[in-house]
Amino acid sequence: MVILEVSLLSGFVLASRSRMLLEQRTIIKKTEVEANVVYIYLEKLNDESQTFILQLEQVIQMSNLKPASIKIYDYYQPGGLQIFSCS
């Protein structure tokens, strides 16, 4: 199992519709949403390219936003962590 750990930008939350759309995809086993992190559990990955679109809602106006990070790792071997940043 593979986990995508998406840190949200400050002042933003995952739109409820976005979570429903994610969970309709067959590759996604489940999603969990915590205060500022979205966890997307994938059954497995292969060599096909995958695109995930998260729709966010701004709930608090923030200035000087810092990039958020996306971590991708194997549930059973989290040591092989890949980290990306996005803004």
Side-chain angles (χ1 to χ4, degrees):
M1 183 173 351
V2 177
I3 299 176
L4 290 125
E5 182 179 316
V6 182
S7 298
L8 300 179
L9 295 167
S10 297
F12 286 82
V13 296
L14 182 67
S16 57
R17 177 172 160 74
S18 184
R19 184 174 183 179
M20 291 186 320
L21 291 172
L22 282 172
E23 291 178 345
Q24 290 176 354
R25 295 186 55 183
T26 56
I27 191 172
I28 297 176
K29 187 171 183 175
K30 72 175 182 173
T31 60
E32 292 179 355
V33 180
E34 292 187 3
N36 61 346
V37 181
V38 177
Y39 297 94
I40 302 171
Y41 294 81
L42 308 176
E43 191 62 46
K44 62 182 177 180
L45 284 180
N46 54 32
D47 57 355
E48 291 181 32
S49 176
Q50 296 290 329
T51 301
F52 299 94
I53 298 173
L54 302 179
Q55 295 175 340
L56 305 178
E57 295 176 355
Q58 188 171 15
V59 293
I60 300 172
Q61 183 68 37
M62 303 292 286
S63 59
N64 299 324
L65 286 177
K66 304 295 183 224
S69 66
I70 300 171
K71 300 176 185 176
I72 303 171
Y73 53 93
D74 186 321
Y75 179 82
Y76 301 103
Q77 295 179 334
L81 181 68
Q82 295 288 324
I83 301 175
F84 304 91
S85 66
C86 59
S87 53

